[in-house]
Amino acid sequence: MKITDYQKVQTLDESNIVLIDGNNGTKTIMVTDFIKSLIGLTSSQDFISGVNLSELTQINTLSADDKLLIGTAAGNKAIGADDALFAILDAFVPKEQRRMIYRGKNLGSVITEDQKANIKNGTFKGFFLGDYWSIGSYTWRIVDFDYWYNCGDTAFTKPYLVIMPDKPLYNAQMNETNITTGGYVGSKMYKENLSQAKTLAASAFGNLILTHREHLTNAVTNGYPSGGSWYDSTLELPNEIMMYGSHVFAPSGDGTIIPNRYTISKTQLALFSVVPKLISNRATFWLRDVVSSAHFAVVGGYGNTAYDYASNSSGVRPVFAIG
């Protein structure tokens, strides 16, 4: 039977072995040892008894068309060489490290029952940073894992993925005039203009969208965010910290004024740390930070940090959790 006749292996465990065809015949290696072998490919030491790296005819010339044979309890299976590394990582990497390993794989046009199960059970099997669903005309990408875990005035303890679309879903105003009265919570964006984004997200992920508690600005004094409170949150605009890793234009204290900048969204989203080019999509889009009495923060269309008048129409690129 040809290798191409075998079923592709989707999961690996420690009992599996890898079959490698060398000049001295087929040799076996435990999956755990194979991982170490891949890392040590530049070494001249033997990694299989009786077989030297130089005897492996395919290991240095793998292509997407090649297959690796995996010995399982159900018999030999084959896995594409292009999937092998991530299959191994999927089996053995701690789930916390998934937020540091970028893959960028298309996960399909609908979220499957298996995918739902592996989010809800907290294993996150089959998911890596940057993986995405193409649903409708939108790309919904995994930007982090368990980002708000154990945060909020009520702890958020469900396992979840953090999702953002690659580009703004549409354009809208923060307010009809150039005011920031009431902060983010008082804006027309929060009250009305996020409704379409919530509808689009719900059409893609349904009841998987989770509610958590988020501290949001609800008052502005002399251009400074001066008040805030805890709110139920499903889908929001991101803040500057989530995009850049720090405040940029959000006002800081001057020794007498202490602005209200409480937030549980306090670190850069993992995707934008690992692959910063994905911050910019050549479109200006809103962030929820109050900058002055007339401005909110934005990510600029040239990839720059920026701010804009509240009445201007800019992109809506929200962030939310599914689980």
Side-chain angles (χ1 to χ4, degrees), residues 22-25 27-28 46-56:
N23 293 335
N24 293 334
K27 304 292 182 179
T28 63
D46 292 355
F47 67 95
I48 307 175
S49 179
V51 177
N52 188 278
L53 281 171
S54 61
E55 295 182 288
L56 303 178

Side-chain angles (χ1 to χ4, degrees), residues 21 47 60 78 97 135 200 224 248 286 294 300:
D21 186 21
F47 67 95
N60 290 315
Q97 291 186 19
I135 301 176
L200 291 170
Y224 286 86
V248 181
W286 289 114

Side-chain angles (χ1 to χ4, degrees), residues 194-263:
L194 281 177
S195 296
Q196 184 181 350
K198 292 177 180 179
T199 298
L200 291 170
S203 68
F205 297 101
N207 60 9
L208 291 179
I209 297 174
L210 298 177
T211 299
H212 69 280
R213 297 285 284 173
E214 185 81 46
H215 198 279
L216 302 171
T217 302
N218 61 15
V220 176
T221 302
N222 296 326
Y224 286 86
S226 57
S229 188
W230 293 101
Y231 296 88
D232 286 341
S233 174
T234 53
L235 176 150
E236 307 292 351
L237 297 181
N239 64 17
E240 287 185 312
I241 298 174
M242 299 173 85
M243 302 306 297
Y244 313 133
S246 68
H247 286 297
V248 181
F249 285 104
S252 58
D254 62 2
T256 57
I257 295 174
I258 301 175
N260 187 288
R261 300 200 299 186
Y262 297 106
T263 181

Side-chain angles (χ1 to χ4, degrees), residues 115-323:
Q115 290 171 343
K116 293 177 185 178
N118 287 337
I119 301 170
K120 290 178 179 292
N121 65 26
T123 64
F124 301 128
K125 293 289 186 182
F127 302 110
F128 289 93
L129 190 65
D131 290 352
Y132 62 92
W133 288 272
S134 295
I135 301 176
S137 58
Y138 304 103
T139 298
W140 305 92
R141 195 174 297 271
I142 299 171
V143 295
D144 215 326
F145 297 76
D146 284 351
Y147 176 79
W148 298 289
Y149 189 84
N150 214 26
C151 294
D153 59 340
T154 300
F156 189 29
T157 57
K158 293 182 179 180
Y160 58 90
L161 304 177
V162 183
I163 305 297
M164 283 185 74
D166 272 4
K167 297 181 178 181
L169 301 176
Y170 53 89
N171 285 359
Q173 298 171 301
M174 290 295 293
N175 283 310
E176 291 182 346
T177 59
N178 292 325
I179 59 170
T180 58
T181 307
Y184 174 63
V185 171
S187 69
K188 185 174 182 179
M189 174 67 72
Y190 183 84
K191 294 176 180 178
E192 299 179 25
N193 292 346
L194 281 177
S195 296
Q196 184 181 350
K198 292 177 180 179
T199 298
L200 291 170
S203 68
F205 297 101
N207 60 9
L208 291 179
I209 297 174
L210 298 177
T211 299
H212 69 280
R213 297 285 284 173
E214 185 81 46
H215 198 279
L216 302 171
T217 302
N218 61 15
V220 176
T221 302
N222 296 326
Y224 286 86
S226 57
S229 188
W230 293 101
Y231 296 88
D232 286 341
S233 174
T234 53
L235 176 150
E236 307 292 351
L237 297 181
N239 64 17
E240 287 185 312
I241 298 174
M242 299 173 85
M243 302 306 297
Y244 313 133
S246 68
H247 286 297
V248 181
F249 285 104
S252 58
D254 62 2
T256 57
I257 295 174
I258 301 175
N260 187 288
R261 300 200 299 186
Y262 297 106
T263 181
I264 61 170
S265 301
K266 57 191 180 291
T267 60
Q268 188 176 26
L269 290 166
L271 180 67
F272 303 132
S273 176
V274 176
V275 192
K277 68 180 182 180
L278 293 179
I279 295 172
S280 172
N281 47 43
R282 305 305 293 175
T284 298
F285 56 92
W286 289 114
L287 303 177
R288 66 177 183 248
D289 306 81
V290 172
V291 172
S292 74
S293 59
H295 303 90
F296 286 90
V298 297
V299 174
Y302 297 153
N304 56 310
T305 62
Y307 59 90
D308 207 351
Y309 282 110
S311 67
N312 285 344
S313 184
S314 291
V316 177
R317 188 186 180 190
V319 60
F320 56 95
I322 62 170

